[in-house]
Amino acid sequence: MTGITNKDGPVAVTGASGYIGSRVVEDLLDQGYEVHACVRDASNGKKVDHLIELGKKANNCDVHLFEGDLFEKGSYDKAFSGCAAVIHAGATVGFNRETPQEVYDGCFTENEHVVESVKKSGSVKRFVFTSSFAAVAHPRPEGYVFDEKDWCGDNVEAYKGAWTEENISKNRDIAYAMAKANTEKMIYKMAEADGSFEAISINPLHVVGPLMTENHNQFFSWQFFIWQLLKGNNFGHWDGKQLRGDRMLWNMVDVRDVAKAHRLATESENATNGSRYILSATDQSGEKFTWQLQAKLKELFPEIENIGGEEMDNGKPLKDTYDSPRSYCTKAIKDLGLSTYSIEDTLKETGESYRKIGLL
């Protein structure tokens, strides 16, 4: 089966108002596609006005809003009708205080009827799913380089009994990883059985990059923590509280590269049913420990007096950081022809976007 072009018909995007979904819509419009942008509430200006503006820039005729809900069967039937491809970026990821079970249901259980809407369309050739690096990563020694052959359920003994379906309702991270991996396997199987479309997954790691709206400043997201660093808060801190540990290895990819990879996956002759593409650092320049990220932000924003990071001792990290996850978007560059932003451009434009929307 071959990839699509902008002559084959519209592309539907679920989660179109989100951080990644909005950039997918933008990229598709830039490439001359008609877009069916699926949102929960088309009347919510805070979430859809920027999509309407993107449509106006594209001659006001190339983006059409459709309402759809992951938890309602058949709600995407109309949006997918006549489309050449569907990019399924919508999910419940836990940023809005969902329970672990709600995260699992929104990222797996409810996806079967999304694929049923794809099958009903009779026109969709490519179904591209926004999975996650969480579906890839599993316990490995420091410095291990993950690639698309890795799955989160590998090396299960290292989870010390925690990797069980019983823990889905108790642990958000396990719920999310299992949901993404189970969805990948499900959609590949459903596509193979149906034969009329191919299913492909994009597995982003630490996604950062410029925001379009204040709504994209999702609590506990990676861009949210870049914002906190630029506001002078050490990593993991917010509103005087410590939300997580203050040190980690950041493995960063630009949200615009993630968006572009989704579109390229609908077009590529190299992608086939079951293909997965990790979207992570282009090279080691995009892999930075928190103290290194702080140093880079100080270099890029010299006018900001205080930039957060992690606890230091005489210019060196107070404690060592576990050296993981290491991974690179080599396959996406090779197979899809993806070209990527430099980490300097990504971080600079992230900060500038926070200024533009009045949060910095």
Side-chain angles (χ1 to χ4, degrees):
M1 196 175 295
T2 60
I4 71 160
T5 71
N6 58 13
K7 306 297 183 186
D8 293 324
V11 175
V13 181
T14 72
S17 64
Y19 182 51
I20 293 175
S22 295
R23 291 294 179 182
V24 173
V25 171
E26 178 186 52
D27 178 78
L28 287 166
L29 291 171
D30 286 347
Q31 299 301 315
Y33 283 90
E34 180 182 348
V35 179
H36 289 188
C38 304
V39 297
R40 288 184 188 178
D41 181 2
S43 67
N44 187 340
K46 290 183 178 180
K47 293 190 175 183
V48 303
D49 283 354
H50 67 289
L51 299 176
I52 295 170
E53 287 302 312
L54 288 175
K56 289 179 179 178
K57 293 177 183 177
N59 298 320
N60 203 27
C61 62
D62 292 326
V63 61
H64 309 280
L65 296 180
F66 289 81
E67 290 189 344
D69 192 322
L70 275 173
F71 294 89
E72 292 183 18
K73 292 183 179 181
S75 68
Y76 293 111
D77 288 357
K78 184 177 180 181
F80 293 178
S81 178
C83 287
V86 169
I87 294 175
H88 182 31
T92 302
V93 297
F95 293 152
N96 296 312
R97 313 300 202 280
E98 294 90 350
T99 67
Q101 188 64 53
E102 287 171 334
V103 169
Y104 184 80
D105 291 341
C107 291
F108 172 61
T109 307
E110 305 303 327
N111 282 333
E112 185 172 359
H113 65 74
V114 178
V115 182
E116 289 299 330
S117 291
V118 168
K119 292 162 65 176
K120 284 182 187 177
S121 75
S123 58
V124 174
K125 297 178 182 178
R126 288 271 169 99
F127 178 70
V128 180
F129 171 59
T130 309
S131 184
S132 169
F133 189 80
V136 173
H138 51 94
R140 281 295 184 220
E142 290 188 81
Y144 178 84
V145 178
F146 292 92
D147 63 25
E148 285 79 2
K149 296 188 295 293
D150 288 290
W151 287 86
C152 57
D154 295 346
N155 195 24
V156 71
E157 63 278 2
Y159 289 99
K160 299 180 180 179
W163 191 260
T164 64
E165 291 191 2
E166 289 75 16
N167 274 338
I168 287 173
S169 62
K170 304 173 185 176
N171 186 303
R172 183 264 179 197
D173 291 341
I174 288 176
Y176 184 66
M178 276 194 179
K180 289 296 190 179
N182 288 346
T183 296
E184 283 194 51
K185 293 171 182 177
M186 176 185 72
I187 63 175
Y188 304 149
K189 186 176 180 179
M190 292 179 74
E192 183 178 8
D194 184 79
S196 66
F197 70 98
E198 295 173 313
I200 298 159
S201 293
I202 305 296
N203 301 75
L205 219 169
H206 299 145
V207 183
V208 294
L211 293 72
M212 287 188 184
T213 74
E214 185 174 349
N215 183 58
H216 292 163
N217 187 37
Q218 287 287 329
F219 178 77
F220 218 77
S221 62
W222 301 115
Q223 66 272 21
F224 171 89
F225 282 117
I226 294 289
W227 176 52
Q228 291 302 300
L229 295 177
L230 292 172
K231 290 180 67 176
N233 296 322
N234 272 359
F235 174 58
H237 292 70
W238 178 73
D239 197 24
K241 301 174 184 178
Q242 185 164 349
L243 302 178
R244 56 179 303 156
D246 67 351
R247 54 182 50 81
M248 62 174 273
L249 176 65
W250 291 73
N251 186 312
M252 294 169 283
V253 60
D254 195 294
V255 65
R256 294 165 294 184
D257 293 334
V258 175
K260 189 190 303 182
H262 282 78
R263 189 252 309 162
L264 291 171
T266 71
E267 299 173 336
S268 175
E269 301 292 326
N270 295 321
T272 58
N273 188 57
S275 292
R276 333 167 67 204
Y277 296 97
I278 292 173
L279 266 291
S280 55
T282 303
D283 51 39
Q284 289 187 346
S285 69
E287 294 177 322
K288 296 187 184 299
F289 294 110
T290 300
W291 67 272
Q292 294 173 319
L293 175 58
Q294 180 185 34
K296 177 58 69 174
L297 290 173
K298 286 182 176 179
E299 174 189 319
L300 294 171
F301 297 93
E303 72 281 9
I304 298 180
E305 185 175 347
N306 182 32
I307 290 178
E310 62 178 279
E311 195 172 355
M312 305 287 282
D313 182 17
N314 293 322
K316 295 182 179 180
L318 186 65
K319 297 179 181 178
D320 290 335
T321 303
Y322 188 70
D323 189 355
S324 187
R326 299 279 180 182
S327 188
Y328 309 102
C329 59
T330 308
K331 185 180 178 185
I333 292 171
K334 180 181 177 182
D335 284 9
L336 302 181
L338 178 69
S339 58
T340 60
Y341 284 86
S342 70
I343 190 61
E344 289 80 10
D345 286 347
T346 295
L347 293 172
K348 182 68 173 176
E349 292 177 46
T350 302
E352 294 300 341
S353 72
Y354 271 108
R355 281 199 175 120
K356 185 176 181 180
I357 61 179
L359 292 179
L360 187 65

